[in-house]
Amino acid sequence: MTGSFRKKLLAICLGCTLSGAIFPVFAAEEVPVTQPGVDNSGDALLKQGKYLAVAADCAACHTDPQTKQTFAGGYAIHSPMGVIYSTNITPSKQYGIGNYSEQQFEQAVRHGIRGDGSHLYPAMPYTSYAGLTDQDVHALYYYFMHGVQPVDQKNRETSLSFPFSMRQAMWGWNLLFLKNKPFIADSSQSQSWNRGKYLVQNLEHCGECHSPRNLMMAATTGSDALSGADLGSWYAPNLTSDKMSGIGSWQRDQLMAYLKTGHVPGKAQAAGPMAEAVTNSLQHLSDDDIGAIVTYLQSLPPVSHPGQAKPTGDFGSDATLAGDSAVRGTQPLGTALPADLSGKAIYDTTCASCHQTSGTGSADGYYPSLFHNTATGGNTPNNLVSTILFGVQREVNGKEVLMPAFGPGSDVQSLNDQQVASLSNYIFKQFGNPQLSVTAADVKTLREGGPQPFLARYAAAGTVVGGIILLLIIVLIVVRLSRKGR
């Protein structure tokens, strides 16, 4: 696992090993959701389609950072089942979607079925896009066909191990977990609330990262939706209105600023997948749409996490000072640090020059404080450890925010797993939630992509547990089909 920030890190799922089936197609209804005014003239469709493609974050997954060919595919999406390569979605007739009809495009976006009839893996968040309106699908299709330059770049082949290599198996998973119901506005709620729900649940597909997943790796849609979830090496935080575990302690203007910039002094800074979302999508949304997202999120019923002593961004204070360092500057960056160096000494060597010995950061806020920081508060160490291992990179309004990675192989200062653990524990105790701690083994697990989910560990062909899983899935499918029949 590399430090690549991937929004859909855990979205790849497979349900069963049924083969030869054709996924049923359900006709989409016209959806009465309030949206920005769109007419059917070419210029308006082009503009609307481009805006929708940005909001849906299409370029982030379909652009290889090495070739930088927008929408030409080739991006390596790391999943528990293996590496999935995104495909070319430019209008190239040889390698892209240039031969797709609008109906084929709609099937791919809403139902996860490619033009050749094969199934997409849910690294493509079609389970969220299933709720897109007919008008938005039409505008997206028009934009990709008329507003995107064709790139004749060959697709990289995705080759997963058996049984995950069987794309036909997605038929069963889709039958169980794909909800083929377009978004319908709630007439009892405001226009802004409905727009926000549509953006959060469908277009921006926030639940793909922020909702917990079941044993079959489908994102939950019930009462715990958007209540936070492990995302490989990272943790996507609780977005419900709970004042301790969620965003209930945030002010409206703070939430809007965070979505637009990824930075709220004394509160949080976006890293990992969220930094990517801000860079490629959220900062480009209109203020009305950002406001609508906040309106909807603030209305979510609170979901609390046990053991949360105070709001995630409220740990520490400017009175929490580390004192003068006796070792600062004695270990030049880039040199091998002594194996027995304490967490404080590692901090003074690698962190204090930017975040200060006191942890207050820089006066202009470019280097954030380490107290009143959601990465050091909360009830999980994942985001602080992953920030140290993989660094931070986001770009807002043409300005780059960069923190180098300090994990093994760093160009600045390479820290081994034990050193990262010692540094993290010092930061938690000095500036954040003192109840948090990690071991070198914990750091190793996060460096390698996080704990393997149940399905990835046990669904391999030939295992007893894998056979039980398959039998259970078949039973669930039979029950689901019988209910549909009734």
Side-chain angles (χ1 to χ4, degrees), residues 362-378:
S362 59
D364 62 1
Y366 182 86
Y367 301 111
S369 67
L370 297 179
F371 47 81
H372 293 176
N373 189 319
T374 55
T376 60

Side-chain angles (χ1 to χ4, degrees), residues 428-447:
F428 287 134
K429 182 179 180 180
Q430 192 66 44
F431 307 115
N433 183 352
Q435 301 302 314
L436 294 176
S437 65
V438 291
T439 65
D442 296 329
V443 173
K444 180 177 184 290
T445 297
L446 292 177
R447 177 170 53 80

Side-chain angles (χ1 to χ4, degrees), residues 465-486:
V465 177
I468 295 173
I469 292 172
L470 176 58
L471 181 61
L472 177 61
I473 292 168
I474 293 174
V475 171
L476 290 173
I477 290 174
V478 170
V479 171
R480 179 71 178 270
L481 288 172
S482 65
R483 288 178 178 175
K484 282 182 175 291
R486 289 198 297 271

Side-chain angles (χ1 to χ4, degrees), residues 120-138:
L120 294 169
Y121 295 120
M124 158 69 171
Y126 61 85
T127 51
S128 294
Y129 294 158
L132 295 185
T133 67
D134 289 345
Q135 175 63 55
D136 280 358
V137 172
H138 176 61

Side-chain angles (χ1 to χ4, degrees), residues 323-346:
D324 293 333
S325 170
V327 298
R328 183 175 177 181
T330 63
Q331 302 289 338
L333 286 177
T335 62
L337 299 181
D340 60 349
L341 206 59
S342 68
K344 174 177 171 53
I346 297 172

